Amino acid sequence: MQDNPESLPSTGFGPCAGIPAEHTASIRQILDRIGDKWSLLVIAVLDDGPLRYTDLQHAVAGISQRMLTVTLRQLTHDGLVTRTSYPEVPPRVEYALTPLSRGLLDPVTTLIAWASNHHEEIHRNRTGTTESAHSRNT
């Protein structure tokens, strides 16, 4: 007897409550991809339009050539970025967002803005600066 997918239990609580159990592994993989720091930044940078590899590397501060190559390959494989090669001399390749990834722009830019707005506070928490200042005052 095969289980009807609609009869399988969903997982967890909160936003996970409605997710069928058989989808959780796939959803975790997707979240891993789009939650990766380099993927988020590449998607955000491509919001302004298609870019060549070198332009992307300059726009995403701190990314190594290898990490950019791996990230672009993964985003392309997942259908979040297109890679267009133009038959010119010298060859030109551009990367752009797909309609699928355009739906990610609002959450991605919101997350990046939040991180930018709170990075100092989080840094203080990580280094214990807030705690030691609080300890001195008590």
mmCIF file with all atom_site columns, all heavy atoms in Angstrom, residues 35-52:
data_model
loop_
_atom_site.group_PDB
_atom_site.id
_atom_site.type_symbol
_atom_site.label_atom_id
_atom_site.label_alt_id
_atom_site.label_comp_id
_atom_site.label_asym_id
_atom_site.label_entity_id
_atom_site.label_seq_id
_atom_site.pdbx_PDB_ins_code
_atom_site.Cartn_x
_atom_site.Cartn_y
_atom_site.Cartn_z
_atom_site.occupancy
_atom_site.B_iso_or_equiv
_atom_site.pdbx_formal_charge
_atom_site.auth_seq_id
_atom_site.auth_comp_id
_atom_site.auth_asym_id
_atom_site.auth_atom_id
_atom_site.pdbx_PDB_model_num
ATOM 1   N N   . GLY A 1 35 ? 20.759 31.018 0.826   1.00 0.00 ? 35 GLY A N   1
ATOM 2   C CA  . GLY A 1 35 ? 21.209 31.600 2.081   1.00 0.00 ? 35 GLY A CA  1
ATOM 3   C C   . GLY A 1 35 ? 22.711 31.734 2.170   1.00 0.00 ? 35 GLY A C   1
ATOM 4   O O   . GLY A 1 35 ? 23.235 32.356 3.090   1.00 0.00 ? 35 GLY A O   1
ATOM 5   N N   . ASP A 1 36 ? 23.420 31.201 1.201   1.00 0.00 ? 36 ASP A N   1
ATOM 6   C CA  . ASP A 1 36 ? 24.871 31.312 1.158   1.00 0.00 ? 36 ASP A CA  1
ATOM 7   C C   . ASP A 1 36 ? 25.241 32.786 0.973   1.00 0.00 ? 36 ASP A C   1
ATOM 8   O O   . ASP A 1 36 ? 24.641 33.488 0.165   1.00 0.00 ? 36 ASP A O   1
ATOM 9   C CB  . ASP A 1 36 ? 25.397 30.473 -0.015  1.00 0.00 ? 36 ASP A CB  1
ATOM 10  C CG  . ASP A 1 36 ? 26.847 30.704 -0.287  1.00 0.00 ? 36 ASP A CG  1
ATOM 11  O OD1 . ASP A 1 36 ? 27.680 30.157 0.428   1.00 0.00 ? 36 ASP A OD1 1
ATOM 12  O OD2 . ASP A 1 36 ? 27.145 31.471 -1.231  1.00 0.00 ? 36 ASP A OD2 1
ATOM 13  N N   . LYS A 1 37 ? 26.230 33.255 1.731   1.00 0.00 ? 37 LYS A N   1
ATOM 14  C CA  . LYS A 1 37 ? 26.558 34.686 1.691   1.00 0.00 ? 37 LYS A CA  1
ATOM 15  C C   . LYS A 1 37 ? 26.930 35.168 0.298   1.00 0.00 ? 37 LYS A C   1
ATOM 16  O O   . LYS A 1 37 ? 26.543 36.264 -0.104  1.00 0.00 ? 37 LYS A O   1
ATOM 17  C CB  . LYS A 1 37 ? 27.668 35.024 2.682   1.00 0.00 ? 37 LYS A CB  1
ATOM 18  C CG  . LYS A 1 37 ? 29.023 34.426 2.347   1.00 0.00 ? 37 LYS A CG  1
ATOM 19  C CD  . LYS A 1 37 ? 30.057 34.824 3.376   1.00 0.00 ? 37 LYS A CD  1
ATOM 20  C CE  . LYS A 1 37 ? 31.372 34.141 3.108   1.00 0.00 ? 37 LYS A CE  1
ATOM 21  N NZ  . LYS A 1 37 ? 32.359 34.472 4.106   1.00 0.00 ? 37 LYS A NZ  1
ATOM 22  N N   . TRP A 1 38 ? 27.643 34.354 -0.456  1.00 0.00 ? 38 TRP A N   1
ATOM 23  C CA  . TRP A 1 38 ? 28.051 34.800 -1.785  1.00 0.00 ? 38 TRP A CA  1
ATOM 24  C C   . TRP A 1 38 ? 26.869 34.820 -2.740  1.00 0.00 ? 38 TRP A C   1
ATOM 25  O O   . TRP A 1 38 ? 26.748 35.724 -3.564  1.00 0.00 ? 38 TRP A O   1
ATOM 26  C CB  . TRP A 1 38 ? 29.190 33.938 -2.327  1.00 0.00 ? 38 TRP A CB  1
ATOM 27  C CG  . TRP A 1 38 ? 30.418 34.004 -1.480  1.00 0.00 ? 38 TRP A CG  1
ATOM 28  C CD1 . TRP A 1 38 ? 31.048 32.956 -0.877  1.00 0.00 ? 38 TRP A CD1 1
ATOM 29  C CD2 . TRP A 1 38 ? 31.171 35.167 -1.110  1.00 0.00 ? 38 TRP A CD2 1
ATOM 30  N NE1 . TRP A 1 38 ? 32.134 33.398 -0.161  1.00 0.00 ? 38 TRP A NE1 1
ATOM 31  C CE2 . TRP A 1 38 ? 32.239 34.756 -0.289  1.00 0.00 ? 38 TRP A CE2 1
ATOM 32  C CE3 . TRP A 1 38 ? 31.041 36.524 -1.386  1.00 0.00 ? 38 TRP A CE3 1
ATOM 33  C CZ2 . TRP A 1 38 ? 33.167 35.644 0.246   1.00 0.00 ? 38 TRP A CZ2 1
ATOM 34  C CZ3 . TRP A 1 38 ? 31.970 37.413 -0.851  1.00 0.00 ? 38 TRP A CZ3 1
ATOM 35  C CH2 . TRP A 1 38 ? 33.016 36.966 -0.048  1.00 0.00 ? 38 TRP A CH2 1
ATOM 36  N N   . SER A 1 39 ? 25.985 33.846 -2.632  1.00 0.00 ? 39 SER A N   1
ATOM 37  C CA  . SER A 1 39 ? 24.794 33.825 -3.497  1.00 0.00 ? 39 SER A CA  1
ATOM 38  C C   . SER A 1 39 ? 23.933 35.052 -3.267  1.00 0.00 ? 39 SER A C   1
ATOM 39  O O   . SER A 1 39 ? 23.465 35.684 -4.215  1.00 0.00 ? 39 SER A O   1
ATOM 40  C CB  . SER A 1 39 ? 23.974 32.559 -3.254  1.00 0.00 ? 39 SER A CB  1
ATOM 41  O OG  . SER A 1 39 ? 24.696 31.409 -3.627  1.00 0.00 ? 39 SER A OG  1
ATOM 42  N N   . LEU A 1 40 ? 23.720 35.390 -1.997  1.00 0.00 ? 40 LEU A N   1
ATOM 43  C CA  . LEU A 1 40 ? 22.924 36.577 -1.674  1.00 0.00 ? 40 LEU A CA  1
ATOM 44  C C   . LEU A 1 40 ? 23.523 37.827 -2.300  1.00 0.00 ? 40 LEU A C   1
ATOM 45  O O   . LEU A 1 40 ? 22.820 38.649 -2.889  1.00 0.00 ? 40 LEU A O   1
ATOM 46  C CB  . LEU A 1 40 ? 22.838 36.764 -0.156  1.00 0.00 ? 40 LEU A CB  1
ATOM 47  C CG  . LEU A 1 40 ? 21.949 35.815 0.619   1.00 0.00 ? 40 LEU A CG  1
ATOM 48  C CD1 . LEU A 1 40 ? 22.142 36.022 2.117   1.00 0.00 ? 40 LEU A CD1 1
ATOM 49  C CD2 . LEU A 1 40 ? 20.502 36.008 0.239   1.00 0.00 ? 40 LEU A CD2 1
ATOM 50  N N   . LEU A 1 41 ? 24.826 37.976 -2.170  1.00 0.00 ? 41 LEU A N   1
ATOM 51  C CA  . LEU A 1 41 ? 25.482 39.177 -2.690  1.00 0.00 ? 41 LEU A CA  1
ATOM 52  C C   . LEU A 1 41 ? 25.486 39.213 -4.211  1.00 0.00 ? 41 LEU A C   1
ATOM 53  O O   . LEU A 1 41 ? 25.268 40.263 -4.818  1.00 0.00 ? 41 LEU A O   1
ATOM 54  C CB  . LEU A 1 41 ? 26.899 39.288 -2.127  1.00 0.00 ? 41 LEU A CB  1
ATOM 55  C CG  . LEU A 1 41 ? 26.958 39.512 -0.613  1.00 0.00 ? 41 LEU A CG  1
ATOM 56  C CD1 . LEU A 1 41 ? 28.397 39.431 -0.110  1.00 0.00 ? 41 LEU A CD1 1
ATOM 57  C CD2 . LEU A 1 41 ? 26.321 40.836 -0.224  1.00 0.00 ? 41 LEU A CD2 1
ATOM 58  N N   . VAL A 1 42 ? 25.700 38.073 -4.856  1.00 0.00 ? 42 VAL A N   1
ATOM 59  C CA  . VAL A 1 42 ? 25.679 38.021 -6.327  1.00 0.00 ? 42 VAL A CA  1
ATOM 60  C C   . VAL A 1 42 ? 24.284 38.375 -6.831  1.00 0.00 ? 42 VAL A C   1
ATOM 61  O O   . VAL A 1 42 ? 24.129 39.175 -7.758  1.00 0.00 ? 42 VAL A O   1
ATOM 62  C CB  . VAL A 1 42 ? 26.144 36.639 -6.848  1.00 0.00 ? 42 VAL A CB  1
ATOM 63  C CG1 . VAL A 1 42 ? 25.813 36.467 -8.325  1.00 0.00 ? 42 VAL A CG1 1
ATOM 64  C CG2 . VAL A 1 42 ? 27.639 36.460 -6.616  1.00 0.00 ? 42 VAL A CG2 1
ATOM 65  N N   . ILE A 1 43 ? 23.258 37.800 -6.220  1.00 0.00 ? 43 ILE A N   1
ATOM 66  C CA  . ILE A 1 43 ? 21.886 38.103 -6.625  1.00 0.00 ? 43 ILE A CA  1
ATOM 67  C C   . ILE A 1 43 ? 21.600 39.594 -6.449  1.00 0.00 ? 43 ILE A C   1
ATOM 68  O O   . ILE A 1 43 ? 21.036 40.244 -7.347  1.00 0.00 ? 43 ILE A O   1
ATOM 69  C CB  . ILE A 1 43 ? 20.878 37.236 -5.841  1.00 0.00 ? 43 ILE A CB  1
ATOM 70  C CG1 . ILE A 1 43 ? 20.965 35.782 -6.326  1.00 0.00 ? 43 ILE A CG1 1
ATOM 71  C CG2 . ILE A 1 43 ? 19.451 37.763 -5.990  1.00 0.00 ? 43 ILE A CG2 1
ATOM 72  C CD1 . ILE A 1 43 ? 20.230 34.788 -5.454  1.00 0.00 ? 43 ILE A CD1 1
ATOM 73  N N   . ALA A 1 44 ? 22.013 40.168 -5.342  1.00 0.00 ? 44 ALA A N   1
ATOM 74  C CA  . ALA A 1 44 ? 21.774 41.594 -5.089  1.00 0.00 ? 44 ALA A CA  1
ATOM 75  C C   . ALA A 1 44 ? 22.495 42.469 -6.113  1.00 0.00 ? 44 ALA A C   1
ATOM 76  O O   . ALA A 1 44 ? 21.921 43.439 -6.623  1.00 0.00 ? 44 ALA A O   1
ATOM 77  C CB  . ALA A 1 44 ? 22.208 41.955 -3.674  1.00 0.00 ? 44 ALA A CB  1
ATOM 78  N N   . VAL A 1 45 ? 23.727 42.128 -6.434  1.00 0.00 ? 45 VAL A N   1
ATOM 79  C CA  . VAL A 1 45 ? 24.513 42.928 -7.384  1.00 0.00 ? 45 VAL A CA  1
ATOM 80  C C   . VAL A 1 45 ? 23.912 42.851 -8.791  1.00 0.00 ? 45 VAL A C   1
ATOM 81  O O   . VAL A 1 45 ? 23.900 43.839 -9.521  1.00 0.00 ? 45 VAL A O   1
ATOM 82  C CB  . VAL A 1 45 ? 25.992 42.457 -7.375  1.00 0.00 ? 45 VAL A CB  1
ATOM 83  C CG1 . VAL A 1 45 ? 26.747 42.974 -8.568  1.00 0.00 ? 45 VAL A CG1 1
ATOM 84  C CG2 . VAL A 1 45 ? 26.665 42.896 -6.084  1.00 0.00 ? 45 VAL A CG2 1
ATOM 85  N N   . LEU A 1 46 ? 23.385 41.698 -9.153  1.00 0.00 ? 46 LEU A N   1
ATOM 86  C CA  . LEU A 1 46 ? 22.815 41.527 -10.494 1.00 0.00 ? 46 LEU A CA  1
ATOM 87  C C   . LEU A 1 46 ? 21.467 42.225 -10.656 1.00 0.00 ? 46 LEU A C   1
ATOM 88  O O   . LEU A 1 46 ? 20.913 42.261 -11.759 1.00 0.00 ? 46 LEU A O   1
ATOM 89  C CB  . LEU A 1 46 ? 22.700 40.042 -10.845 1.00 0.00 ? 46 LEU A CB  1
ATOM 90  C CG  . LEU A 1 46 ? 24.023 39.347 -11.161 1.00 0.00 ? 46 LEU A CG  1
ATOM 91  C CD1 . LEU A 1 46 ? 23.805 37.853 -11.333 1.00 0.00 ? 46 LEU A CD1 1
ATOM 92  C CD2 . LEU A 1 46 ? 24.678 39.955 -12.394 1.00 0.00 ? 46 LEU A CD2 1
ATOM 93  N N   . ASP A 1 47 ? 20.943 42.798 -9.586  1.00 0.00 ? 47 ASP A N   1
ATOM 94  C CA  . ASP A 1 47 ? 19.675 43.525 -9.662  1.00 0.00 ? 47 ASP A CA  1
ATOM 95  C C   . ASP A 1 47 ? 19.764 44.687 -10.647 1.00 0.00 ? 47 ASP A C   1
ATOM 96  O O   . ASP A 1 47 ? 18.788 45.040 -11.299 1.00 0.00 ? 47 ASP A O   1
ATOM 97  C CB  . ASP A 1 47 ? 19.283 44.039 -8.270  1.00 0.00 ? 47 ASP A CB  1
ATOM 98  C CG  . ASP A 1 47 ? 17.943 44.754 -8.264  1.00 0.00 ? 47 ASP A CG  1
ATOM 99  O OD1 . ASP A 1 47 ? 17.107 44.477 -9.149  1.00 0.00 ? 47 ASP A OD1 1
ATOM 100 O OD2 . ASP A 1 47 ? 17.716 45.582 -7.368  1.00 0.00 ? 47 ASP A OD2 1
ATOM 101 N N   . ASP A 1 48 ? 20.936 45.295 -10.779 1.00 0.00 ? 48 ASP A N   1
ATOM 102 C CA  . ASP A 1 48 ? 21.106 46.443 -11.680 1.00 0.00 ? 48 ASP A CA  1
ATOM 103 C C   . ASP A 1 48 ? 21.216 46.040 -13.145 1.00 0.00 ? 48 ASP A C   1
ATOM 104 O O   . ASP A 1 48 ? 21.287 46.893 -14.009 1.00 0.00 ? 48 ASP A O   1
ATOM 105 C CB  . ASP A 1 48 ? 22.337 47.250 -11.276 1.00 0.00 ? 48 ASP A CB  1
ATOM 106 C CG  . ASP A 1 48 ? 22.128 47.963 -9.950  1.00 0.00 ? 48 ASP A CG  1
ATOM 107 O OD1 . ASP A 1 48 ? 20.972 48.242 -9.594  1.00 0.00 ? 48 ASP A OD1 1
ATOM 108 O OD2 . ASP A 1 48 ? 23.127 48.217 -9.255  1.00 0.00 ? 48 ASP A OD2 1
ATOM 109 N N   . GLY A 1 49 ? 21.263 44.748 -13.431 1.00 0.00 ? 49 GLY A N   1
ATOM 110 C CA  . GLY A 1 49 ? 21.339 44.284 -14.812 1.00 0.00 ? 49 GLY A CA  1
ATOM 111 C C   . GLY A 1 49 ? 22.496 43.325 -15.012 1.00 0.00 ? 49 GLY A C   1
ATOM 112 O O   . GLY A 1 49 ? 23.283 43.072 -14.092 1.00 0.00 ? 49 GLY A O   1
ATOM 113 N N   . PRO A 1 50 ? 22.601 42.778 -16.228 1.00 0.00 ? 50 PRO A N   1
ATOM 114 C CA  . PRO A 1 50 ? 23.644 41.792 -16.529 1.00 0.00 ? 50 PRO A CA  1
ATOM 115 C C   . PRO A 1 50 ? 25.046 42.358 -16.312 1.00 0.00 ? 50 PRO A C   1
ATOM 116 O O   . PRO A 1 50 ? 25.288 43.546 -16.537 1.00 0.00 ? 50 PRO A O   1
ATOM 117 C CB  . PRO A 1 50 ? 23.427 41.479 -18.013 1.00 0.00 ? 50 PRO A CB  1
ATOM 118 C CG  . PRO A 1 50 ? 22.038 41.917 -18.307 1.00 0.00 ? 50 PRO A CG  1
ATOM 119 C CD  . PRO A 1 50 ? 21.756 43.053 -17.379 1.00 0.00 ? 50 PRO A CD  1
ATOM 120 N N   . LEU A 1 51 ? 25.939 41.476 -15.844 1.00 0.00 ? 51 LEU A N   1
ATOM 121 C CA  . LEU A 1 51 ? 27.337 41.870 -15.635 1.00 0.00 ? 51 LEU A CA  1
ATOM 122 C C   . LEU A 1 51 ? 28.260 40.800 -16.165 1.00 0.00 ? 51 LEU A C   1
ATOM 123 O O   . LEU A 1 51 ? 27.925 39.610 -16.154 1.00 0.00 ? 51 LEU A O   1
ATOM 124 C CB  . LEU A 1 51 ? 27.622 42.076 -14.138 1.00 0.00 ? 51 LEU A CB  1
ATOM 125 C CG  . LEU A 1 51 ? 27.013 43.294 -13.473 1.00 0.00 ? 51 LEU A CG  1
ATOM 126 C CD1 . LEU A 1 51 ? 27.265 43.252 -11.969 1.00 0.00 ? 51 LEU A CD1 1
ATOM 127 C CD2 . LEU A 1 51 ? 27.582 44.581 -14.060 1.00 0.00 ? 51 LEU A CD2 1
ATOM 128 N N   . ARG A 1 52 ? 29.419 41.245 -16.582 1.00 0.00 ? 52 ARG A N   1
ATOM 129 C CA  . ARG A 1 52 ? 30.469 40.305 -16.970 1.00 0.00 ? 52 ARG A CA  1
ATOM 130 C C   . ARG A 1 52 ? 31.140 39.797 -15.700 1.00 0.00 ? 52 ARG A C   1
ATOM 131 O O   . ARG A 1 52 ? 31.030 40.385 -14.626 1.00 0.00 ? 52 ARG A O   1
ATOM 132 C CB  . ARG A 1 52 ? 31.481 41.009 -17.875 1.00 0.00 ? 52 ARG A CB  1
ATOM 133 C CG  . ARG A 1 52 ? 30.832 41.416 -19.202 1.00 0.00 ? 52 ARG A CG  1
ATOM 134 C CD  . ARG A 1 52 ? 31.770 42.197 -20.048 1.00 0.00 ? 52 ARG A CD  1
ATOM 135 N NE  . ARG A 1 52 ? 32.725 41.272 -20.660 1.00 0.00 ? 52 ARG A NE  1
ATOM 136 C CZ  . ARG A 1 52 ? 33.518 41.593 -21.658 1.00 0.00 ? 52 ARG A CZ  1
ATOM 137 N NH1 . ARG A 1 52 ? 33.492 42.812 -22.144 1.00 0.00 ? 52 ARG A NH1 1
ATOM 138 N NH2 . ARG A 1 52 ? 34.355 40.715 -22.151 1.00 0.00 ? 52 ARG A NH2 1
#
